[in-house]
Amino acid sequence: MLKKDLNVQIGQRVRSARKQAHLSREALAEKLDISTLFLGYIECGQKGMSLSTLQKLCQVLGVSSDFILMGIDDDSTHKNNFMLLVDSVDPKYHPLLECNLRCTIDAINETEKLK
């Protein structure tokens, strides 16, 4: 199969976002309702995906279509990723997440003061 440069670039970004989300190829394929083999073809740049698959992929991985299609990564993507992580946790644990985040931010601020 002939690989198109754009498909190769998109596939690399899909693979990168999948790994960033700590998902196996099998787990992501299941969430997207596609075969693992087809996801492999996408990641290798041998096949393209439908718009509906792209939309699901962006939702599942918490990335923008701008990132997948063009490699454009902005702050809103990171905020979206953060919110997806929070939303993936049972709401009864949200106070614990908030407490941990505040401690992390305090530690970062203290570290920055030492520089």
Side-chain angles (χ1 to χ4, degrees):
M1 286 184 206
L2 182 63
K3 297 180 184 181
K4 295 181 182 175
D5 286 341
L6 182 59
N7 282 350
V8 171
Q9 293 168 8
I10 288 171
Q12 289 170 345
R13 289 189 286 268
V14 169
R15 181 182 298 116
S16 172
R18 174 178 61 77
K19 289 183 177 186
Q20 183 92 18
H22 304 288
L23 288 173
S24 66
R25 193 177 278 174
E26 293 79 13
L28 179 57
E30 184 177 321
K31 289 177 182 287
L32 299 177
D33 198 27
I34 62 175
S35 73
T36 304
L37 181 63
F38 183 63
L39 180 55
Y41 285 145
I42 291 170
E43 288 188 354
C44 292
Q46 293 177 325
K47 300 232 179 194
M49 68 186 106
S50 69
L51 289 176
S52 61
T53 299
L54 174 63
Q55 182 181 32
K56 278 193 254 182
L57 180 125
C58 291
Q59 289 170 342
V60 169
L61 297 179
V63 296
S64 69
S65 58
D66 283 349
F67 172 72
I68 295 295
L69 297 174
M70 298 177 286
I72 297 170
D73 195 12
D74 60 15
D75 280 342
S76 65
T77 300
H78 297 291
K79 290 176 186 174
N80 189 34
N81 288 345
F82 180 78
M83 293 309 299
L84 285 170
L85 284 171
V86 171
D87 289 344
S88 71
V89 175
D90 188 320
K92 69 183 178 187
Y93 296 111
H94 285 181
L96 178 62
L97 286 176
E98 182 180 355
C99 179
N100 282 319
L101 180 58
R102 287 182 192 279
C103 289
T104 301
I105 291 170
D106 288 345
I108 290 169
N109 289 337
E110 288 300 316
T111 302
E112 289 296 314
K113 287 180 188 176
L114 296 175
K115 288 185 178 179

PDB file of all heavy atoms in Angstrom, residues 81-106:
ATOM      1  N   ASN A  81      -7.637  18.241  27.986  1.00  0.00           N
ATOM      2  CA  ASN A  81      -7.091  16.985  28.511  1.00  0.00           C
ATOM      3  C   ASN A  81      -7.280  16.907  30.019  1.00  0.00           C
ATOM      4  O   ASN A  81      -7.649  15.867  30.563  1.00  0.00           O
ATOM      5  CB  ASN A  81      -5.599  16.860  28.193  1.00  0.00           C
ATOM      6  CG  ASN A  81      -5.322  16.582  26.748  1.00  0.00           C
ATOM      7  OD1 ASN A  81      -6.198  16.211  25.990  1.00  0.00           O
ATOM      8  ND2 ASN A  81      -4.075  16.775  26.361  1.00  0.00           N
ATOM      9  N   PHE A  82      -7.004  18.020  30.692  1.00  0.00           N
ATOM     10  CA  PHE A  82      -7.153  18.071  32.143  1.00  0.00           C
ATOM     11  C   PHE A  82      -8.600  17.811  32.546  1.00  0.00           C
ATOM     12  O   PHE A  82      -8.871  17.008  33.438  1.00  0.00           O
ATOM     13  CB  PHE A  82      -6.681  19.436  32.667  1.00  0.00           C
ATOM     14  CG  PHE A  82      -6.805  19.561  34.149  1.00  0.00           C
ATOM     15  CD1 PHE A  82      -5.874  18.975  34.978  1.00  0.00           C
ATOM     16  CD2 PHE A  82      -7.865  20.252  34.710  1.00  0.00           C
ATOM     17  CE1 PHE A  82      -5.992  19.073  36.358  1.00  0.00           C
ATOM     18  CE2 PHE A  82      -7.988  20.363  36.073  1.00  0.00           C
ATOM     19  CZ  PHE A  82      -7.042  19.770  36.908  1.00  0.00           C
ATOM     20  N   MET A  83      -9.519  18.459  31.865  1.00  0.00           N
ATOM     21  CA  MET A  83     -10.936  18.290  32.200  1.00  0.00           C
ATOM     22  C   MET A  83     -11.407  16.864  31.909  1.00  0.00           C
ATOM     23  O   MET A  83     -12.203  16.301  32.661  1.00  0.00           O
ATOM     24  CB  MET A  83     -11.804  19.304  31.450  1.00  0.00           C
ATOM     25  CG  MET A  83     -11.565  20.733  31.892  1.00  0.00           C
ATOM     26  SD  MET A  83     -11.651  20.978  33.684  1.00  0.00           S
ATOM     27  CE  MET A  83     -13.331  20.499  34.025  1.00  0.00           C
ATOM     28  N   LEU A  84     -10.914  16.260  30.850  1.00  0.00           N
ATOM     29  CA  LEU A  84     -11.265  14.877  30.550  1.00  0.00           C
ATOM     30  C   LEU A  84     -10.767  13.939  31.646  1.00  0.00           C
ATOM     31  O   LEU A  84     -11.458  12.987  32.025  1.00  0.00           O
ATOM     32  CB  LEU A  84     -10.707  14.446  29.193  1.00  0.00           C
ATOM     33  CG  LEU A  84     -11.437  14.991  27.981  1.00  0.00           C
ATOM     34  CD1 LEU A  84     -10.651  14.691  26.710  1.00  0.00           C
ATOM     35  CD2 LEU A  84     -12.834  14.407  27.872  1.00  0.00           C
ATOM     36  N   LEU A  85      -9.560  14.216  32.151  1.00  0.00           N
ATOM     37  CA  LEU A  85      -9.053  13.412  33.258  1.00  0.00           C
ATOM     38  C   LEU A  85      -9.939  13.541  34.488  1.00  0.00           C
ATOM     39  O   LEU A  85     -10.278  12.547  35.127  1.00  0.00           O
ATOM     40  CB  LEU A  85      -7.619  13.835  33.608  1.00  0.00           C
ATOM     41  CG  LEU A  85      -6.522  13.369  32.686  1.00  0.00           C
ATOM     42  CD1 LEU A  85      -5.202  14.056  33.045  1.00  0.00           C
ATOM     43  CD2 LEU A  85      -6.367  11.864  32.733  1.00  0.00           C
ATOM     44  N   VAL A  86     -10.301  14.762  34.834  1.00  0.00           N
ATOM     45  CA  VAL A  86     -11.169  14.989  35.993  1.00  0.00           C
ATOM     46  C   VAL A  86     -12.514  14.301  35.787  1.00  0.00           C
ATOM     47  O   VAL A  86     -13.019  13.607  36.678  1.00  0.00           O
ATOM     48  CB  VAL A  86     -11.357  16.499  36.259  1.00  0.00           C
ATOM     49  CG1 VAL A  86     -12.431  16.740  37.314  1.00  0.00           C
ATOM     50  CG2 VAL A  86     -10.033  17.130  36.675  1.00  0.00           C
ATOM     51  N   ASP A  87     -13.080  14.453  34.606  1.00  0.00           N
ATOM     52  CA  ASP A  87     -14.380  13.852  34.319  1.00  0.00           C
ATOM     53  C   ASP A  87     -14.349  12.329  34.321  1.00  0.00           C
ATOM     54  O   ASP A  87     -15.380  11.685  34.497  1.00  0.00           O
ATOM     55  CB  ASP A  87     -14.926  14.349  32.974  1.00  0.00           C
ATOM     56  CG  ASP A  87     -15.371  15.797  33.027  1.00  0.00           C
ATOM     57  OD1 ASP A  87     -15.547  16.336  34.143  1.00  0.00           O
ATOM     58  OD2 ASP A  87     -15.519  16.400  31.946  1.00  0.00           O
ATOM     59  N   SER A  88     -13.167  11.746  34.143  1.00  0.00           N
ATOM     60  CA  SER A  88     -13.072  10.289  34.117  1.00  0.00           C
ATOM     61  C   SER A  88     -13.083   9.684  35.520  1.00  0.00           C
ATOM     62  O   SER A  88     -13.176   8.476  35.673  1.00  0.00           O
ATOM     63  CB  SER A  88     -11.804   9.852  33.374  1.00  0.00           C
ATOM     64  OG  SER A  88     -10.651  10.143  34.130  1.00  0.00           O
ATOM     65  N   VAL A  89     -12.989  10.528  36.539  1.00  0.00           N
ATOM     66  CA  VAL A  89     -12.957  10.067  37.927  1.00  0.00           C
ATOM     67  C   VAL A  89     -14.341  10.237  38.548  1.00  0.00           C
ATOM     68  O   VAL A  89     -15.027  11.228  38.304  1.00  0.00           O
ATOM     69  CB  VAL A  89     -11.905  10.886  38.727  1.00  0.00           C
ATOM     70  CG1 VAL A  89     -11.921  10.537  40.194  1.00  0.00           C
ATOM     71  CG2 VAL A  89     -10.524  10.676  38.137  1.00  0.00           C
ATOM     72  N   ASP A  90     -14.730   9.279  39.355  1.00  0.00           N
ATOM     73  CA  ASP A  90     -16.005   9.339  40.071  1.00  0.00           C
ATOM     74  C   ASP A  90     -16.071  10.662  40.844  1.00  0.00           C
ATOM     75  O   ASP A  90     -15.121  11.010  41.565  1.00  0.00           O
ATOM     76  CB  ASP A  90     -16.086   8.156  41.040  1.00  0.00           C
ATOM     77  CG  ASP A  90     -17.434   8.014  41.703  1.00  0.00           C
ATOM     78  OD1 ASP A  90     -18.047   9.040  42.072  1.00  0.00           O
ATOM     79  OD2 ASP A  90     -17.871   6.860  41.863  1.00  0.00           O
ATOM     80  N   PRO A  91     -17.159  11.424  40.699  1.00  0.00           N
ATOM     81  CA  PRO A  91     -17.264  12.746  41.347  1.00  0.00           C
ATOM     82  C   PRO A  91     -17.042  12.729  42.862  1.00  0.00           C
ATOM     83  O   PRO A  91     -16.618  13.739  43.423  1.00  0.00           O
ATOM     84  CB  PRO A  91     -18.694  13.197  41.019  1.00  0.00           C
ATOM     85  CG  PRO A  91     -19.014  12.490  39.752  1.00  0.00           C
ATOM     86  CD  PRO A  91     -18.311  11.159  39.837  1.00  0.00           C
ATOM     87  N   LYS A  92     -17.270  11.595  43.497  1.00  0.00           N
ATOM     88  CA  LYS A  92     -17.047  11.562  44.956  1.00  0.00           C
ATOM     89  C   LYS A  92     -15.561  11.757  45.300  1.00  0.00           C
ATOM     90  O   LYS A  92     -15.223  12.101  46.418  1.00  0.00           O
ATOM     91  CB  LYS A  92     -17.593  10.278  45.573  1.00  0.00           C
ATOM     92  CG  LYS A  92     -16.848   9.020  45.219  1.00  0.00           C
ATOM     93  CD  LYS A  92     -17.516   7.792  45.833  1.00  0.00           C
ATOM     94  CE  LYS A  92     -16.781   6.521  45.440  1.00  0.00           C
ATOM     95  NZ  LYS A  92     -17.491   5.341  45.880  1.00  0.00           N
ATOM     96  N   TYR A  93     -14.669  11.543  44.305  1.00  0.00           N
ATOM     97  CA  TYR A  93     -13.237  11.724  44.525  1.00  0.00           C
ATOM     98  C   TYR A  93     -12.731  13.091  44.071  1.00  0.00           C
ATOM     99  O   TYR A  93     -11.542  13.386  44.211  1.00  0.00           O
ATOM    100  CB  TYR A  93     -12.439  10.625  43.811  1.00  0.00           C
ATOM    101  CG  TYR A  93     -12.730   9.254  44.375  1.00  0.00           C
ATOM    102  CD1 TYR A  93     -13.413   8.318  43.621  1.00  0.00           C
ATOM    103  CD2 TYR A  93     -12.333   8.905  45.661  1.00  0.00           C
ATOM    104  CE1 TYR A  93     -13.697   7.060  44.126  1.00  0.00           C
ATOM    105  CE2 TYR A  93     -12.610   7.653  46.180  1.00  0.00           C
ATOM    106  CZ  TYR A  93     -13.290   6.730  45.406  1.00  0.00           C
ATOM    107  OH  TYR A  93     -13.573   5.491  45.910  1.00  0.00           O
ATOM    108  N   HIS A  94     -13.594  13.941  43.542  1.00  0.00           N
ATOM    109  CA  HIS A  94     -13.170  15.262  43.087  1.00  0.00           C
ATOM    110  C   HIS A  94     -12.529  16.100  44.192  1.00  0.00           C
ATOM    111  O   HIS A  94     -11.529  16.776  43.941  1.00  0.00           O
ATOM    112  CB  HIS A  94     -14.312  16.004  42.411  1.00  0.00           C
ATOM    113  CG  HIS A  94     -14.615  15.479  41.030  1.00  0.00           C
ATOM    114  ND1 HIS A  94     -15.589  16.014  40.238  1.00  0.00           N
ATOM    115  CD2 HIS A  94     -14.085  14.453  40.302  1.00  0.00           C
ATOM    116  CE1 HIS A  94     -15.649  15.363  39.090  1.00  0.00           C
ATOM    117  NE2 HIS A  94     -14.744  14.399  39.119  1.00  0.00           N
ATOM    118  N   PRO A  95     -13.063  16.080  45.442  1.00  0.00           N
ATOM    119  CA  PRO A  95     -12.369  16.847  46.498  1.00  0.00           C
ATOM    120  C   PRO A  95     -10.936  16.366  46.725  1.00  0.00           C
ATOM    121  O   PRO A  95     -10.037  17.169  46.954  1.00  0.00           O
ATOM    122  CB  PRO A  95     -13.239  16.608  47.738  1.00  0.00           C
ATOM    123  CG  PRO A  95     -14.604  16.335  47.181  1.00  0.00           C
ATOM    124  CD  PRO A  95     -14.356  15.561  45.918  1.00  0.00           C
ATOM    125  N   LEU A  96     -10.716  15.059  46.612  1.00  0.00           N
ATOM    126  CA  LEU A  96      -9.366  14.523  46.755  1.00  0.00           C
ATOM    127  C   LEU A  96      -8.473  15.011  45.614  1.00  0.00           C
ATOM    128  O   LEU A  96      -7.315  15.400  45.834  1.00  0.00           O
ATOM    129  CB  LEU A  96      -9.411  12.996  46.788  1.00  0.00           C
ATOM    130  CG  LEU A  96      -8.077  12.270  46.894  1.00  0.00           C
ATOM    131  CD1 LEU A  96      -7.363  12.638  48.192  1.00  0.00           C
ATOM    132  CD2 LEU A  96      -8.294  10.766  46.803  1.00  0.00           C
ATOM    133  N   LEU A  97      -9.010  15.007  44.394  1.00  0.00           N
ATOM    134  CA  LEU A  97      -8.248  15.522  43.250  1.00  0.00           C
ATOM    135  C   LEU A  97      -7.884  16.988  43.465  1.00  0.00           C
ATOM    136  O   LEU A  97      -6.755  17.402  43.197  1.00  0.00           O
ATOM    137  CB  LEU A  97      -9.052  15.384  41.955  1.00  0.00           C
ATOM    138  CG  LEU A  97      -9.200  13.999  41.361  1.00  0.00           C
ATOM    139  CD1 LEU A  97     -10.102  14.058  40.134  1.00  0.00           C
ATOM    140  CD2 LEU A  97      -7.858  13.419  41.001  1.00  0.00           C
ATOM    141  N   GLU A  98      -8.857  17.760  43.933  1.00  0.00           N
ATOM    142  CA  GLU A  98      -8.610  19.189  44.156  1.00  0.00           C
ATOM    143  C   GLU A  98      -7.521  19.392  45.201  1.00  0.00           C
ATOM    144  O   GLU A  98      -6.606  20.202  45.017  1.00  0.00           O
ATOM    145  CB  GLU A  98      -9.893  19.889  44.595  1.00  0.00           C
ATOM    146  CG  GLU A  98      -9.711  21.375  44.786  1.00  0.00           C
ATOM    147  CD  GLU A  98     -10.993  22.085  45.222  1.00  0.00           C
ATOM    148  OE1 GLU A  98     -12.060  21.454  45.291  1.00  0.00           O
ATOM    149  OE2 GLU A  98     -10.891  23.301  45.486  1.00  0.00           O
ATOM    150  N   CYS A  99      -7.576  18.627  46.267  1.00  0.00           N
ATOM    151  CA  CYS A  99      -6.569  18.724  47.323  1.00  0.00           C
ATOM    152  C   CYS A  99      -5.192  18.367  46.783  1.00  0.00           C
ATOM    153  O   CYS A  99      -4.201  19.078  47.034  1.00  0.00           O
ATOM    154  CB  CYS A  99      -6.954  17.800  48.477  1.00  0.00           C
ATOM    155  SG  CYS A  99      -5.777  17.806  49.841  1.00  0.00           S
ATOM    156  N   ASN A 100      -5.115  17.287  46.025  1.00  0.00           N
ATOM    157  CA  ASN A 100      -3.829  16.876  45.445  1.00  0.00           C
ATOM    158  C   ASN A 100      -3.301  17.914  44.465  1.00  0.00           C
ATOM    159  O   ASN A 100      -2.093  18.183  44.429  1.00  0.00           O
ATOM    160  CB  ASN A 100      -3.958  15.517  44.758  1.00  0.00           C
ATOM    161  CG  ASN A 100      -3.961  14.372  45.740  1.00  0.00           C
ATOM    162  OD1 ASN A 100      -3.207  14.380  46.695  1.00  0.00           O
ATOM    163  ND2 ASN A 100      -4.813  13.395  45.514  1.00  0.00           N
ATOM    164  N   LEU A 101      -4.178  18.486  43.678  1.00  0.00           N
ATOM    165  CA  LEU A 101      -3.755  19.503  42.727  1.00  0.00           C
ATOM    166  C   LEU A 101      -3.220  20.730  43.448  1.00  0.00           C
ATOM    167  O   LEU A 101      -2.186  21.289  43.068  1.00  0.00           O
ATOM    168  CB  LEU A 101      -4.907  19.886  41.793  1.00  0.00           C
ATOM    169  CG  LEU A 101      -4.589  20.939  40.746  1.00  0.00           C
ATOM    170  CD1 LEU A 101      -3.438  20.496  39.848  1.00  0.00           C
ATOM    171  CD2 LEU A 101      -5.816  21.262  39.925  1.00  0.00           C
ATOM    172  N   ARG A 102      -3.913  21.157  44.500  1.00  0.00           N
ATOM    173  CA  ARG A 102      -3.434  22.314  45.271  1.00  0.00           C
ATOM    174  C   ARG A 102      -2.050  22.040  45.859  1.00  0.00           C
ATOM    175  O   ARG A 102      -1.164  22.903  45.824  1.00  0.00           O
ATOM    176  CB  ARG A 102      -4.417  22.676  46.373  1.00  0.00           C
ATOM    177  CG  ARG A 102      -5.681  23.316  45.873  1.00  0.00           C
ATOM    178  CD  ARG A 102      -6.620  23.707  47.036  1.00  0.00           C
ATOM    179  NE  ARG A 102      -7.926  24.063  46.540  1.00  0.00           N
ATOM    180  CZ  ARG A 102      -8.241  25.245  46.022  1.00  0.00           C
ATOM    181  NH1 ARG A 102      -7.312  26.185  45.932  1.00  0.00           N
ATOM    182  NH2 ARG A 102      -9.459  25.501  45.601  1.00  0.00           N
ATOM    183  N   CYS A 103      -1.834  20.830  46.387  1.00  0.00           N
ATOM    184  CA  CYS A 103      -0.519  20.468  46.935  1.00  0.00           C
ATOM    185  C   CYS A 103       0.541  20.477  45.847  1.00  0.00           C
ATOM    186  O   CYS A 103       1.667  20.946  46.066  1.00  0.00           O
ATOM    187  CB  CYS A 103      -0.583  19.089  47.594  1.00  0.00           C
ATOM    188  SG  CYS A 103      -1.515  19.069  49.131  1.00  0.00           S
ATOM    189  N   THR A 104       0.207  19.978  44.688  1.00  0.00           N
ATOM    190  CA  THR A 104       1.148  19.956  43.564  1.00  0.00           C
ATOM    191  C   THR A 104       1.509  21.366  43.132  1.00  0.00           C
ATOM    192  O   THR A 104       2.681  21.687  42.902  1.00  0.00           O
ATOM    193  CB  THR A 104       0.560  19.151  42.383  1.00  0.00           C
ATOM    194  OG1 THR A 104       0.277  17.821  42.816  1.00  0.00           O
ATOM    195  CG2 THR A 104       1.519  19.122  41.206  1.00  0.00           C
ATOM    196  N   ILE A 105       0.505  22.224  43.027  1.00  0.00           N
ATOM    197  CA  ILE A 105       0.750  23.619  42.639  1.00  0.00           C
ATOM    198  C   ILE A 105       1.628  24.308  43.680  1.00  0.00           C
ATOM    199  O   ILE A 105       2.570  25.033  43.330  1.00  0.00           O
ATOM    200  CB  ILE A 105      -0.580  24.371  42.417  1.00  0.00           C
ATOM    201  CG1 ILE A 105      -1.273  23.828  41.165  1.00  0.00           C
ATOM    202  CG2 ILE A 105      -0.336  25.875  42.317  1.00  0.00           C
ATOM    203  CD1 ILE A 105      -2.694  24.324  40.985  1.00  0.00           C
ATOM    204  N   ASP A 106       1.348  24.080  44.964  1.00  0.00           N
ATOM    205  CA  ASP A 106       2.178  24.667  46.024  1.00  0.00           C
ATOM    206  C   ASP A 106       3.627  24.197  45.908  1.00  0.00           C
ATOM    207  O   ASP A 106       4.558  24.997  46.037  1.00  0.00           O
ATOM    208  CB  ASP A 106       1.621  24.313  47.409  1.00  0.00           C
ATOM    209  CG  ASP A 106       0.332  25.050  47.733  1.00  0.00           C
ATOM    210  OD1 ASP A 106       0.004  26.037  47.028  1.00  0.00           O
ATOM    211  OD2 ASP A 106      -0.365  24.628  48.685  1.00  0.00           O
TER     212      ASP A 106
END
